[in-house]
Amino acid sequence: GVYIYAEMQPPPDTKIHIDVLFSSLLEAHSPVQMSAAAKVVRVEPISIDERTGGFVAVSSSFILLNGVTDLPR
């Protein structure tokens, strides 16, 4: 599962698609993308400041793609 900090949280049981891009700190290594279809299982409302709210989503599996070439800038 993942915890995602977000200003707006989806309701519990919402189905979402997650894409996480990991760029390498070393130029010789390609970036990696992790993708999954997931479901929101817990919502944490914003309580102190805009950096405290978020939600938890779980998936039965994640797909890892090595060598992603089209990273957003």
Side-chain angles (χ1 to χ4, degrees), residues 45-69:
I46 296 172
S47 59
I48 300 170
D49 59 34
E50 65 276 355
R51 293 175 286 178
T52 60
F55 60 94
V56 176
V58 295
S59 176
S60 60
S61 64
F62 286 89
I63 297 170
L64 289 176
L65 303 170
N66 190 13
V68 177
T69 57

Side-chain angles (χ1 to χ4, degrees), residues 3-67:
Y3 184 88
I4 300 172
Y5 289 99
E7 290 181 16
M8 297 174 50
Q9 297 87 18
D13 296 324
T14 300
K15 293 180 182 177
I16 62 172
H17 183 86
I18 300 170
D19 285 316
V20 181
L21 302 171
F22 300 96
S23 58
S24 176
L25 297 175
L26 304 172
E27 290 184 30
H29 292 88
S30 300
V32 174
Q33 177 180 344
M34 180 178 74
S35 296
K39 183 171 100 173
V40 176
V41 293
R42 190 178 83 223
V43 175
E44 299 277 333
I46 296 172
S47 59
I48 300 170
D49 59 34
E50 65 276 355
R51 293 175 286 178
T52 60
F55 60 94
V56 176
V58 295
S59 176
S60 60
S61 64
F62 286 89
I63 297 170
L64 289 176
L65 303 170
N66 190 13

